[in-house]
Amino acid sequence: MGFHRFFSAVLDGRPVAQYGDGLQTRDFTFVADAALATATAAVRGTPGGVYNIGGGSRVSLREVFDMIGRVSGRPVQIDLQPPQKGDMRDTYADTSRARADMGFAPSVGLEEGLREMFAWMEAIRK
């Protein structure tokens, strides 16, 4: 959802809200990797097992905005906002159990996934 909002703003020439200093990190997962991991868990996972699925790296919001600028070829205007209450500073998925039980490894990196999403969003707007 966040990436859709970010790209929509960039395509419309609107600023993107940045809550806090932009150094908070997340482990983003491309939807195809998440879907494959879910299907694989149904077949190869341990019954009742719980698996973390992630993209394999922590990336700051500032880095995300830099990637969006590169991918879109457009400037990302930032609207600085105060930090949101209750927002986690950093998240990171420990995928070691998914890797051991199911052979999970993300196959689409963040910038590649953003490139695919931007191309799709541009195409549906035409």
Side-chain angles (χ1 to χ4, degrees):
M1 290 191 302
F3 293 134
H4 189 273
R5 282 194 312 251
F6 300 157
F7 278 131
S8 291
V10 167
L11 286 165
D12 294 340
R14 294 181 286 110
V16 174
Q18 174 185 297
Y19 297 94
D21 61 10
L23 298 177
Q24 59 272 41
T25 62
R26 299 291 181 266
D27 183 354
F28 298 103
T29 312
F30 191 68
V31 67
D33 285 336
L36 179 60
T38 301
T40 303
V43 181
R44 296 180 53 198
T46 302
V50 177
Y51 299 98
N52 286 323
I53 303 301
S57 64
R58 286 178 22 187
V59 181
S60 75
L61 187 58
R62 285 187 188 175
E63 290 173 295
V64 167
F65 291 153
D66 288 344
M67 285 183 208
I68 288 173
R70 283 194 303 272
V71 164
S72 68
R74 299 167 188 225
V76 178
Q77 302 168 50
I78 304 297
D79 176 22
L80 295 175
Q81 296 291 317
Q84 292 183 312
K85 292 183 181 190
D87 191 19
M88 295 293 298
R89 180 70 180 172
D90 301 295
T91 64
Y92 183 63
D94 177 358
T95 61
S96 58
R97 189 169 182 197
R99 189 173 38 255
D101 288 2
M102 306 183 311
F104 171 77
S107 64
V108 180
L110 179 57
E111 192 156 346
E112 178 187 350
L114 290 173
R115 191 173 297 109
E116 287 186 33
M117 183 172 185
F118 183 73
W120 172 76
M121 287 187 70
E122 270 192 318
I124 64 171
R125 284 178 165 241
K126 292 179 181 177

